[in-house]
Amino acid sequence: MVKSRIEDRLVSAFGDVNGVCGVYMVPSGDAVHVCTIIDEDDEQTYEVIYERERSIIRQQSDWHFDFNVIARRGRPVEELVGSCEPVWQRHEAATLCPNVR
């Protein structure tokens, strides 16, 4: 797997989705575990994320993806993903995720 190619695809897919705080990826053999962190439960945000996940699966059929969407609900991101470094995170001054580093 070309890790940077998958990372670039994840950033492209989720970086512009309102409500997404960060995207985390952990490769494991031929599998890629992806956690997309959102601030709060929002059905529309889930639907956009799920559609983009399906698109990635179709385009990257040589890899097995395990996608997870986690709603922060005010919890620190570190509580959800530990010390894992993000592939992408929102850096805006008025961020929806004030606990994201």
Side-chain angles (χ1 to χ4, degrees), residues 36-100:
T36 304
I37 307 297
I38 61 176
D39 197 44
E40 295 291 337
D41 291 305
D42 175 67
E43 204 59 40
Q44 184 176 4
T45 302
Y46 282 115
E47 289 303 319
V48 171
I49 291 169
Y50 296 154
E51 179 55 39
R52 298 204 182 172
E53 289 172 351
R54 287 188 291 270
S55 176
I56 290 171
I57 290 168
R58 285 189 300 270
Q59 293 175 8
Q60 303 289 332
S61 61
D62 50 338
W63 296 102
H64 302 283
F65 287 92
D66 174 26
F67 286 106
N68 296 280
V69 180
I70 303 172
R72 240 178 30 89
R73 298 185 196 115
R75 298 173 289 181
V77 172
E78 294 81 13
E79 184 179 307
L80 305 171
V81 296
S83 61
C84 185
E85 290 294 318
V87 171
W88 177 88
Q89 68 183 9
R90 192 166 305 281
H91 285 289
E92 299 167 357
T95 181
L96 297 173
C97 305
N99 292 330
V100 173

